[in-house]
């Protein structure tokens, strides 16, 4: 797919970031208003949030990242301050939307940082537009294995609109808070993300927001768990600098998915945040910033080649009939693939 050549660590050119740069901006793309934050100068760094979230999740990190990068943090369609039409909320559509927004901003290529659903979008973007992808940083990413928190599986079922509406009734936030405190008492992994989970509930104030959330969720999750996977195409990241960041107490997407993705992505790097849940960049922002800055400054941008991409596709996934000999790694990947009931849209 690509040939990434290591390069010498560069001395970052630091600059201050004004409050005005962190404000929400808007662009109309395909007739829909897209919200985004943009700050800094230098190589492009795109921050893609998870389901039900928005670019605000990165707000405390953007000033530091913008000292050495042009940072773009969009509100995905159906999220945050972006429009919420009755539209295509598939992972592939989101990848297209990120590409089109970047095009309007004159960004030809970028390093993508994706959290949760945003990690799946980042992987899909790299698959659809490898020539526009310099590096991948996947944070507690979806789209690797089938497991996901039962709460999201429940919301994918019929009647989810009523369930989410009930969470907005007076007094329900108190009950949800008590439930999360109970989980904290029993040291449940999900309780580590209690503030973020409560924020996600607050981010669905009306029927339009809830409808967009459910349509997005059903594009990737059903009652059995995650319904899409990128494992069958992870071999195409060969030569693409890739770093995986995960909390070892992630109650939404289990940390074992990080190890599976690491095995399936040739040359990838894995960093585990001990004691962190689904939002390691909130749990330990200093380490997150240091890792992102070190990774982007010490790895060369992927140099995509049409011929190399063709060769990888012809060779196929390791362990398949057209691929290289079977290994322990490829057998583990094949096992995950058998468990996945569907595949990502292309």
């Amino acid at each position: 797919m690509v040939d990434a050549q290591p390069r010498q660590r560069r001395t970052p050119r630091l600059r201050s970031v004004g409050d005005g740069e962190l404000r929400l901006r808007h662009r109309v793309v395909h007739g829909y208003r897209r919200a985004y934050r943009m700050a800094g100068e230098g190589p492009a760094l795109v921050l893609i949030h998870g389901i039900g979230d928005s670019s605000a999740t990165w707000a405390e990190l953007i000033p530091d990242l913008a000292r050495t990068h042009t940072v773009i943090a969009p509100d995905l369609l159906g999220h945050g301050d972006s429009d919420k039409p009755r539209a295509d909320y598939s992972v592939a559509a989101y990848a297209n939307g990120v590409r089109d927004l970047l095009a309007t901003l004159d960004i030809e290529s970028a390093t993508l940082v994706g959290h949760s659903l945003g990690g799946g979008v980042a992987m899909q973007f790299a698959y659809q537009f490898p020539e526009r992808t310099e590096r991948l940083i996947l944070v507690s990413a979806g789209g690797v294995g089938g497991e996901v928190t039962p709460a999201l599986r429940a919301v994918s079922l019929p009647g989810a609109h009523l369930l989410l509406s009930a969470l907005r009734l007076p007094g329900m936030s108190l009950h949800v808070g008590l439930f999360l405190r109970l989980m904290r008492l029993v040291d449940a992994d999900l309780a580590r993300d209690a503030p973020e989970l409560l924020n996600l509930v607050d981010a669905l104030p009306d029927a339009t927001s809830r409808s967009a959330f459910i349509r997005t969720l059903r594009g990737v999750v059903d009652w059995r768990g995650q319904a899409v996977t990128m494992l069958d195409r992870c071999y195409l990241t060969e030569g693409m600098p890739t770093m995986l960041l995960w909390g070892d107490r992630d109650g939404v997407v289990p940390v074992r998915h990080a190890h599976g993705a690491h095995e399936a992505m040739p040359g990838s790097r894995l960093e585990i945040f001990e004691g962190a849940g689904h939002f390691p960049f909130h749990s330990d922002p200093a380490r997150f910033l240091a890792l992102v800055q070190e990774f982007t400054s010490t790895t060369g941008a992927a140099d995509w080649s049409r011929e190399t991409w063709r060769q990888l596709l012809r060779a196929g996934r390791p362990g398949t009939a057209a691929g290289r000999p079977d290994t322990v790694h490829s057998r583990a990947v094949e096992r995950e693939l058998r468990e996945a009931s569907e595949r990502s849209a292309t």
Side-chain angles (χ1 to χ4, degrees):
M1 168 177 157
V2 285
D3 291 314
Q5 298 298 324
R7 62 184 178 190
Q8 297 298 316
R9 178 190 291 270
R10 65 173 183 267
T11 301
R13 175 175 170 268
L14 301 181
R15 63 185 295 277
S16 60
V17 177
D19 291 339
E21 290 185 89
L22 299 180
R23 75 183 190 283
L24 274 176
R25 311 181 191 194
H26 298 86
R27 284 286 174 99
V28 175
V29 182
H30 309 313
Y32 301 128
R33 192 176 74 152
R34 318 263 179 154
Y36 66 98
R37 301 171 198 267
M38 187 171 182
E41 295 177 359
L45 189 70
V46 179
L47 310 178
I48 310 175
H49 62 78
I51 190 168
D53 214 337
S54 73
S55 60
T57 198
W58 308 106
E60 298 299 318
L61 302 168
I62 290 174
D64 285 294
L65 294 172
R67 293 178 183 276
T68 52
H69 293 83
T70 298
V71 180
I72 305 99
D75 286 1
L76 296 174
L77 199 68
H79 293 72
D81 203 47
S82 289
D83 281 348
K84 300 168 181 65
R86 186 173 184 275
D88 182 0
Y89 290 121
S90 66
V91 174
Y94 277 132
N96 290 336
V98 171
R99 176 203 57 187
D100 293 344
L101 175 62
L102 294 181
T104 70
L105 300 174
D106 297 324
I107 304 294
E108 293 298 323
S109 62
T111 294
L112 273 69
V113 182
H115 171 240
S116 196
L117 169 73
V121 173
M123 285 189 284
Q124 186 72 22
F125 185 99
Y127 171 61
Q128 293 178 197
F129 316 113
E131 72 282 2
R132 303 178 70 107
T133 310
E134 297 180 358
R135 300 171 193 81
L136 279 175
I137 300 176
L138 306 176
V139 187
S140 306
V144 178
E147 293 173 88
V148 72
T149 177
L152 290 180
R153 282 186 278 161
V155 177
S156 73
L157 296 172
H161 286 278
L162 295 176
L163 173 62
L164 292 179
S165 297
L167 292 177
R168 300 295 304 175
L169 294 175
M172 281 303 296
S173 60
L174 175 62
H175 292 299
V176 174
L178 288 173
F179 174 68
L180 291 173
R181 280 195 288 275
L182 175 62
M183 289 197 296
R184 190 180 289 120
L185 286 174
V186 299
D187 198 28
D189 290 346
L190 200 61
R192 295 176 182 272
D193 300 309
E196 287 84 358
L197 296 174
L198 289 172
N199 286 339
L200 295 186
V201 174
D202 292 338
L204 303 173
D206 52 52
T208 301
S209 299
R210 292 190 287 271
S211 178
F213 177 86
I214 292 170
R215 288 176 67 86
T216 302
L217 180 67
R218 288 175 177 169
V220 291
V221 171
D222 62 21
W223 65 272
R224 293 166 294 182
Q226 295 191 64
V228 296
T229 181
M230 283 295 290
L231 280 180
D232 54 355
R233 278 153 284 174
C234 278
Y235 70 97
L236 293 170
T237 61
E238 185 174 322
M240 170 76 68
T242 301
M243 181 166 64
L244 300 141
L245 308 179
W246 231 277
D248 70 346
R249 298 293 302 275
D250 192 332
V252 179
V253 181
V255 68
R256 80 179 193 90
H257 291 199
H259 296 283
H262 179 47
E263 289 185 11
M265 293 179 155
S268 62
R269 172 178 171 182
L270 174 61
E271 296 284 346
I272 301 296
F273 286 60
E274 293 186 8
H278 191 56
F279 294 78
F281 55 99
H282 289 175
S283 302
D284 193 347
R287 184 184 176 201
F288 177 84
L289 287 167
L291 285 170
V292 171
Q293 290 166 345
E294 184 266 337
F295 183 69
T296 56
S297 66
T298 59
T299 58
D303 182 17
W304 182 76
S305 159
R306 190 183 303 273
E307 180 56 33
T308 303
W309 181 266
R310 182 182 297 112
Q311 291 174 3
L312 286 170
L313 286 170
R314 284 176 174 169
R317 191 173 67 244
T320 60
R324 293 176 283 280
D326 194 12
T327 63
V328 172
H329 141 68
S330 62
R331 287 195 296 271
V333 172
E334 288 296 322
R335 186 164 55 252
E336 286 284 0
L337 288 171
R338 287 195 298 271
E339 293 172 0
S341 60
E342 298 178 39
R343 295 292 180 265
S344 301
T346 57

